[in-house]
Amino acid sequence: MSGIVAYTGSSEAAEILIEGLSRLEYRGYDSVGIAVLGPSGKIVRKRCSDKSRRLRDLLQDGVPPGNTAIGHTRWATHGRPSNENAHPHTSCDGKIAVVHNGIIENYRDLKEDLIEKGHKFTSETDTEVIAHLMEDMLKKTSDLREALALTKKKLVGSYAIALISADHPGEIVAAIKNSPLIIGISDEGNFIVSDLPAILPYTKKVIFLEDGDTAHLTPDKLKIYEESGSKIERKIETISWSPLLAEKQGYKHFMLKEIFEQQRAVQETLMGRLQVEKGQVVFENFKPDPEKIKNIKRIVLIGCGTAYHACLVGKFLIEDFIKIPCEADIASEFRYRKPLINKETFVIAISQSGETADTLAALREAAALGAYTGAICNVIDSSLAREADEIIYTHAGPEISIASTKVFTSQLTALYLLMLRLGNITGSIKPEEAIKISEELIRLPLKIKQILDSQQDRIEEISKKHFKQKNFLFLGRNINYPIALEGALKLKETSYIHAEGSPAGELKHGPIALVDSELPVVIISTEGCVYDKVASTIEEVLTREGRVILLATQGDERVLQFTEDIIWIPPTLELFTPLLNVVPLQLLSYHIARLLGCDIDQPRNLTKAVTVE
Ligand code: AGP
């Protein structure tokens, strides 16, 4: 996902941009660039498409002076990664510079028209049309924001745009449609960024722009206009994230730091919501009319990748404890399969970023069909959070590593809370059972810590034994089948090893053909209703000489006969085993990727939020 940082104020803008952009590197990018409006009245651009070079290298031949600038990390969609395609893009006269996230769908038509009018293009991007359109509009009006409003009318697609003009010193204008931008306000100047970590070191006072807004910033003033063109006051919010949350704090990688942050992330997701002694849950935002909940006939959970795996766990929880039919669906499938949805369906989208294009489109499709909608999201005020009828935030803090870890366990925590809340309302979970569940739920953060403290050396040893293998198989059954899928996804993403996750019962229907004396087979065999069934699966793998790695319940001596590669998980209620079991699998992926020397926090071809289809 591309990232935007723009600044106008009293400090040297290039330095601020480089710092801000480096905090967006985690989103994945293939090129980077800045444009600074200097004291000479000229815009100086620096761009680079060599990701292996550090951002600061952009400035190796001198920092362009100036107090107003825009910057961008690009994740290519239109036009290959190259210096020419890197943002910012400029108009023919070099007086307008623009950065853009999203896609301008009608850029080909616009480009043809502009070329006919004599404009010269220097990139293959859709973004460049914005700079040329602005050049034309500024011949009709000298007001920079008005020119952007006129340009917007020509654009079809999704965008977050920030731009500067050599004829408008100190000004930045911005506009959004289906792509977020946040204004940061400080005594040293004003910011426009696509993601909070970019401004965390400078300010905690922010405004989240709303869809259709345009904004006009100078060092000490800001004005916001809604879609209709009328000026509007948007609420200034104070964010609580500490800048430290977006730093490595001594860990070698963000992924490792985030794995170890899970105790806190789960704790904070529970905090203030779970009333253990009553077995009740109260959410800040999700306070539905009980009658509405009682009328729900079906629940559909939608998400992509890791978030989809959370949906799969949610299906088990809702059907088992709430007794309402529940489906888990991949958002990119849901949106095109003409789902049967009506006002008695509660459709809940799960997403870390809240900006995943497929998940957003699926939620919109559900809303259009009349569904009651909800979202479980980590990013405050993200598009998904704003559009859903109900929002439950995971309080995991910013997740920097592309491979999701602490947000996944926080999503499961939010699902446990949601399950309890629905159970409280519908009466499907009896008070004494709700208390028992709550008492164990509150213990999970400590159990995560126990796993990390006691098993990290063992997991590292197991990683050393198997990291050279080309394939891995992950098996789990019932509520832990989604965790087998998640274990495989994590390994693929971080280490590029081919890994397959499968329900254990499906082994004999195909995947067993893969088993030989080389294949590491990770089997989740913690205690639960399918324990004996999984034990048979372990035998089947061992008979074919597969190299079994087990996840087993601490103290379960029966598994010692199978293998020496056992990772011990503290005992818990069966419904909570997915949350604990996933933790060592994340660490296993991390260590294997580290031993292979992979780019752990930014794996190749991946981006933190897939905002395009
Ligand atoms: C997780 O490790 C992945 N990077 C990916 O599968 C991710 O979960 C998926 O793209 C969904 O993202 P979201 O949660 O931001 O919607």
Side-chain angles (χ1 to χ4, degrees):
M1 184 181 174
S2 305
I4 290 177
V5 183
Y7 168 78
T8 182
S10 52
S11 305
E12 281 303 324
E15 288 287 343
I16 288 185
L17 256 54
I18 294 298
E19 174 66 28
L21 290 170
S22 70
R23 289 169 182 272
L24 297 188
E25 280 186 306
Y26 71 92
R27 294 153 68 106
Y29 71 102
D30 47 53
S31 49
V32 61
I34 60 171
V36 184
L37 178 55
S40 64
K42 284 208 171 111
I43 290 177
V44 177
R45 262 193 305 174
K46 300 265 183 178
R47 298 181 294 168
C48 173
S49 59
D50 180 355
K51 183 185 159 185
S52 62
R53 289 175 53 187
R54 296 185 52 221
L55 265 170
R56 289 213 167 258
D57 288 2
L58 265 186
L59 309 178
Q60 62 187 0
D61 49 349
V63 180
N67 305 115
T68 304
I70 53 174
H72 191 256
T73 47
R74 175 172 187 251
W75 188 63
T77 56
H78 289 62
R80 78 213 133 82
S82 68
N83 280 3
E84 294 69 39
N85 288 335
H87 299 209
H89 291 287
T90 50
S91 51
C92 300
D93 58 10
K95 286 188 166 186
I96 312 285
V98 59
V99 289
H100 158 229
N101 288 352
I103 292 177
I104 307 299
E105 287 163 13
N106 61 337
Y107 87 101
R108 284 180 205 283
D109 295 342
L110 292 172
K111 191 168 175 175
E112 264 174 38
D113 288 353
L114 287 159
I115 289 172
E116 252 176 48
K117 286 187 189 159
H119 286 270
K120 301 261 179 303
F121 279 75
T122 56
S123 78
E124 303 158 316
T125 65
D126 52 339
T127 303
E128 196 182 342
V129 296
I130 303 169
H132 294 283
L133 283 171
M134 280 295 293
E135 191 173 7
D136 281 1
M137 298 309 173
L138 280 168
K139 287 176 187 147
K140 296 183 187 166
T141 171
S142 59
D143 183 303
L144 195 60
R145 196 204 58 87
E146 261 175 45
L148 179 57
L150 292 172
T151 299
K152 258 178 69 179
K153 288 191 180 151
K154 300 260 179 197
L155 306 177
V156 176
S158 60
Y159 47 78
I161 298 167
L163 61 85
I164 53 175
S165 153
D167 292 334
H168 299 79
E171 297 180 43
I172 299 175
V173 288
I176 62 165
K177 186 171 172 208
N178 293 335
S179 190
L181 276 182
I182 304 155
I183 294 178
I185 306 158
S186 83
D187 293 341
E188 281 76 45
N190 289 322
F191 299 77
I192 285 264
V193 296
S194 53
D195 207 6
L196 280 176
I199 40 170
L200 286 178
Y202 304 106
T203 183
K204 289 188 176 168
K205 274 163 67 185
V206 297
I207 294 176
F208 295 95
L209 289 181
E210 297 197 4
D211 214 31
D213 282 355
T214 52
H216 182 248
L217 273 71
T218 56
D220 52 4
K221 283 201 183 66
L222 70 95
K223 290 181 193 155
I224 301 170
Y225 301 80
E226 58 186 343
E227 181 85 76
S228 66
S230 332
K231 193 162 170 289
I232 185 153
E233 296 297 321
R234 298 264 182 240
K235 192 171 143 219
I236 299 178
E237 309 206 16
T238 306
I239 44 164
S240 56
W241 288 2
S242 139
L244 286 177
L245 281 175
E247 286 168 12
K248 284 191 197 144
Q249 294 175 305
Y251 285 92
K252 198 156 181 238
H253 297 97
F254 279 113
M255 182 179 177
L256 188 63
K257 176 185 171 235
E258 287 160 7
I259 289 172
F260 277 83
E261 271 175 357
Q262 291 183 101
Q263 178 189 7
R264 190 192 52 77
V266 169
Q267 228 154 25
E268 296 212 346
T269 302
L270 292 173
M271 210 186 286
R273 294 165 162 179
L274 184 62
Q275 301 173 345
V276 182
E277 57 301 335
K278 293 190 197 152
Q280 286 189 352
V281 167
V282 182
F283 288 111
E284 326 75 86
N285 300 310
F286 177 49
K287 291 186 176 142
D289 173 1
E291 284 316 303
K292 193 161 187 173
I293 298 294
K294 286 178 188 157
N295 285 336
I296 294 170
K297 297 279 182 297
R298 198 158 64 99
I299 295 181
V300 180
L301 302 169
I302 46 176
C304 299
T306 289
Y308 168 64
H309 299 153
C311 295
L312 286 171
V313 175
K315 173 183 162 64
F316 280 90
L317 299 177
I318 286 168
E319 295 204 330
D320 195 1
F321 290 88
I322 313 301
K323 311 293 179 205
I324 295 178
C326 179
E327 285 164 47
D329 215 339
I330 294 172
S332 56
E333 289 296 313
F334 176 92
R335 62 184 290 195
Y336 290 117
R337 73 169 172 81
K338 303 193 178 72
L340 291 177
I341 299 290
N342 57 32
K343 61 178 177 22
E344 292 172 337
T345 320
F346 190 14
V347 176
I348 306 167
I350 303 185
S351 172
Q352 186 286 128
S353 60
E355 304 294 344
T356 300
D358 284 319
T359 310
L360 255 175
L363 187 92
R364 286 177 185 153
E365 173 71 12
L369 293 168
Y372 173 37
T373 62
I376 294 177
C377 244
N378 196 47
V379 177
I380 312 257
D381 219 41
S382 56
S383 304
L384 206 60
R386 273 186 263 142
E387 291 191 27
D389 298 328
E390 309 287 357
I391 169 72
I392 298 173
Y393 285 116
T394 45
H395 294 156
E399 191 177 61
I400 311 290
S401 161
I402 285 184
S404 183
T405 54
K406 63 174 179 173
V407 169
F408 179 67
T409 42
S410 303
Q411 285 166 345
L412 295 187
T413 307
L415 283 165
Y416 292 126
L417 290 172
L418 175 65
M419 175 198 89
L420 277 170
R421 181 78 196 111
L422 296 178
N424 295 155
I425 296 172
T426 61
S428 66
I429 306 179
K430 298 279 162 278
E432 52 293 3
E433 193 184 7
I435 293 170
K436 191 175 146 216
I437 291 172
S438 306
E439 283 170 349
E440 182 59 11
L441 184 49
I442 204 80
R443 287 188 203 116
L444 293 182
L446 207 58
K447 294 193 175 181
I448 293 174
K449 183 174 175 339
Q450 269 173 34
I451 296 172
L452 290 169
D453 288 350
S454 68
Q455 302 299 298
Q456 54 177 323
D457 293 346
R458 184 180 290 265
I459 294 168
E460 211 173 333
E461 268 165 41
I462 295 174
S463 309
K464 282 185 188 150
K465 219 169 177 177
H466 299 285
F467 77 97
K468 290 195 177 139
Q469 293 304 325
K470 297 277 173 274
N471 297 291
F472 267 70
L473 186 58
F474 288 75
L475 301 173
R477 197 154 180 180
N478 201 254
I479 199 166
N480 278 296
Y481 137 61
I483 302 308
L485 299 187
E486 177 59 9
L489 177 68
K490 217 80 301 165
L491 188 64
K492 274 185 271 206
E493 281 186 298
T494 54
S495 69
Y496 317 143
I497 292 175
H498 170 253
E500 187 168 326
S502 169
E506 276 291 290
L507 180 72
K508 50 192 171 303
H509 299 288
I512 199 162
L514 298 170
V515 180
D516 61 13
S517 59
E518 292 291 298
L519 185 76
V521 186
V522 181
I523 307 178
I524 302 171
S525 83
T526 41
E527 280 164 357
C529 64
V530 288
Y531 179 85
D532 291 336
K533 308 281 168 205
V534 175
S536 310
T537 303
I538 301 172
E539 302 274 12
E540 283 163 14
V541 174
L542 286 174
T543 309
R544 281 142 193 105
E545 297 180 351
R547 302 168 75 183
V548 169
I549 301 161
L550 285 186
L551 263 61
T553 307
Q554 186 80 49
D556 176 13
E557 294 191 353
R558 292 166 293 178
V559 292
L560 293 172
Q561 56 174 317
F562 295 130
T563 175
E564 57 185 32
D565 290 344
I566 302 174
I567 299 166
W568 298 108
I569 308 294
T572 186
L573 296 177
E574 187 171 5
L575 79 154
F576 295 129
T577 52
L579 189 144
L580 296 184
N581 286 335
V582 78
V583 174
L585 298 187
Q586 297 165 343
L587 203 53
L588 184 72
S589 297
Y590 171 79
H591 283 303
I592 292 177
R594 184 183 52 78
L595 290 163
L596 290 170
C598 296
D599 188 353
I600 295 182
D601 288 331
Q602 293 173 54
R604 68 183 181 208
N605 306 337
L606 292 178
T607 179
K608 186 64 184 162
V610 186
T611 53
V612 289
E613 198 179 343

